């Protein structure tokens, strides 16, 4: 599969449907400790945060759980989850993080490549009736070596997402929701800042990016259970960069539309 330029911005499209794919498609097999869901879909969106160019490609859907505690999936990575109460659950995981390469766009030449470093993630999810709420924290591990800022820590993102199921039947669920993501100063400087050396190499003006709200997104997502094994998943979102993410000279387009459509099979 071709590596998509904007990892988080793309992958999050499938998160709500994919993480809950087991609920939608799991066959009645109480004797097994394992649940395995595999599939694929088409994802389309900006090549990187603020890009005017789009990228479309295939994305695998992987969701493996053991005893409803240990998991491996293509969104949250490898981790452990725990039911805190009837409506609350929490998880911790290690996953691949954001990346951006100079070759993604001529505008990025001279800024250096941002590698897809591992991230440590903590999250909590609440669900009751037709309502769902999720909060997560993602911290990049290691340090990024970019022109003019060698050894800078990659930073941290904090996200919150809420949704309401406007359609909820045994086979079909369609939800609308809103999400927001906050970035700290280190993340803002790495992905949206332009230091003096980068400015001289790229031709862009210098820009000191500060932490704050990175983006907000309005989305609609859905899943339809064809039978006890197969399900269809989809999500379409309209997002807008905010604050210094929108003001950065790297940003060409602050508003974007992204979409994901796929199918999954639960064994």
């Amino acid at each position: 599969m071709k590596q998509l330029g904007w990892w988080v911005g793309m992958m999050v499209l499938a998160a709500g449907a994919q993480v809950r794919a087991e609920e939608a498609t799991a066959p009645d097999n109480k004797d097994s400790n394992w649940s395995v869901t595999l599939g694929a879909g088409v994802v389309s969106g900006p090549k990187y945060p603020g890009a005017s160019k789009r990228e479309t490609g295939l994305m695998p859907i992987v969701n493996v759980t053991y005893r409803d505690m240990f998991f491996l999936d293509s969104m949250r990575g490898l981790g452990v989850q725990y039911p805190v109460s009837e409506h609350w659950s929490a998880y911790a995981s290690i996953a691949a993080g954001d990346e951006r390469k100079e070759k993604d766009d001529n505008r990025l030449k001279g800024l250096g490549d941002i590698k897809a470093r591992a991230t440590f993630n903590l999250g909590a999810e609440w669900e009751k009736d037709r309502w769902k709420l999720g909060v997560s924290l993602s911290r990049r591990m290691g340090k990024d070596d970019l022109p003019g800022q060698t050894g800078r820590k990659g930073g941290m993102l904090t996200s919150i997402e809420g949704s309401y199921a406007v359609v909820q039947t045994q086979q079909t669920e369609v939800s609308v929701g809103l999400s927001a993501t906050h970035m700290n100063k280190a993340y803002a400087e790495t992905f949206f800042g332009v230091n003096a050396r980068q400015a001289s190499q790229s031709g862009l003006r210098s820009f000191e990016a500060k932490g704050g709200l990175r983006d907000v997104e309005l989305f609609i997502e859905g899943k339809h259970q064809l039978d006890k094994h197969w399900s269809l998943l989809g999500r379409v979102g309209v997002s807008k960069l905010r604050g210094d993410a929108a003001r950065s000279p790297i940003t060409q387009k602050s508003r974007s539309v992204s979409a994901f459509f796929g199918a999954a099979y639960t064994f």
Side-chain angles (χ1 to χ4, degrees), residues 185-199:
K185 182 176 176 59
Y187 185 98
E189 289 178 338
T190 298
F191 285 89
F192 296 101
V194 180
N195 60 47
R197 184 176 173 185
Q198 289 175 317

Side-chain angles (χ1 to χ4, degrees), residues 173-250:
E173 181 175 312
V174 179
S175 300
V176 295
L178 184 67
S179 68
T181 300
H182 177 278
M183 59 183 178
N184 70 353
K185 182 176 176 59
Y187 185 98
E189 289 178 338
T190 298
F191 285 89
F192 296 101
V194 180
N195 60 47
R197 184 176 173 185
Q198 289 175 317
S200 65
Q201 294 182 173
S202 66
L204 299 175
R205 62 182 172 85
S206 296
F207 182 75
E208 182 180 357
K210 300 178 181 179
L213 185 62
R214 186 189 72 169
D215 60 68
V216 293
E217 181 193 33
L218 179 65
F219 64 86
I220 179 170
E221 66 180 11
K223 60 179 179 282
H224 177 69
Q225 184 175 341
L226 298 175
D227 55 33
K228 68 178 183 178
H229 292 288
W230 283 101
S231 63
L232 301 178
L233 314 170
R235 175 162 166 155
V236 176
V238 179
S239 62
K240 182 173 176 58
L241 295 177
R242 308 291 296 180
D244 279 2
R247 290 187 285 268
S248 170
I250 298 173

Side-chain angles (χ1 to χ4, degrees), residues 30-66:
K30 302 301 183 181
D31 296 329
S32 176
N33 290 321
W34 291 91
S35 175
V36 179
T37 298
L38 300 176
V42 177
V43 61
S44 178
K47 296 192 72 171
Y48 62 89
S52 59
K53 294 182 179 179
R54 298 181 62 83
E55 185 172 27
T56 300
L58 293 177
M59 187 194 77
I61 297 174
V62 178
N63 190 343
V64 180
T65 61
Y66 177 69

Side-chain angles (χ1 to χ4, degrees), residues 99-266:
E99 70 172 349
R100 190 187 67 203
K101 298 182 178 180
E102 287 190 355
K103 67 179 183 179
D104 290 338
D105 194 284
N106 289 333
R107 195 178 189 85
L108 303 177
K109 293 187 181 301
L111 299 180
D113 292 340
I114 302 174
K115 297 180 181 180
R117 298 190 177 278
T119 63
F120 175 68
N121 308 297
L122 290 175
E125 299 174 347
W126 173 86
E127 182 174 348
K128 185 178 181 180
D129 300 326
R130 294 177 177 235
W131 293 95
K132 294 183 178 71
L133 176 67
V135 293
S136 65
L137 181 151
S138 177
R139 184 174 183 83
R140 285 171 64 83
M141 302 172 67
K143 297 180 180 180
D144 290 296
D145 295 326
L146 296 175
Q149 57 177 46
T150 302
R152 182 182 299 279
K153 292 183 179 181
M156 184 170 62
L157 294 175
T158 305
S159 302
I160 182 170
E161 177 177 301
S163 65
Y164 177 79
V166 293
V167 176
Q168 190 177 62
T169 68
Q170 187 174 0
Q171 288 78 31
T172 304
E173 181 175 312
V174 179
S175 300
V176 295
L178 184 67
S179 68
T181 300
H182 177 278
M183 59 183 178
N184 70 353
K185 182 176 176 59
Y187 185 98
E189 289 178 338
T190 298
F191 285 89
F192 296 101
V194 180
N195 60 47
R197 184 176 173 185
Q198 289 175 317
S200 65
Q201 294 182 173
S202 66
L204 299 175
R205 62 182 172 85
S206 296
F207 182 75
E208 182 180 357
K210 300 178 181 179
L213 185 62
R214 186 189 72 169
D215 60 68
V216 293
E217 181 193 33
L218 179 65
F219 64 86
I220 179 170
E221 66 180 11
K223 60 179 179 282
H224 177 69
Q225 184 175 341
L226 298 175
D227 55 33
K228 68 178 183 178
H229 292 288
W230 283 101
S231 63
L232 301 178
L233 314 170
R235 175 162 166 155
V236 176
V238 179
S239 62
K240 182 173 176 58
L241 295 177
R242 308 291 296 180
D244 279 2
R247 290 187 285 268
S248 170
I250 298 173
T251 298
Q252 298 170 290
K253 190 175 181 180
S254 62
R255 183 179 286 107
S256 63
V257 178
S258 300
F260 168 84
F261 298 98
Y265 183 91
T266 296

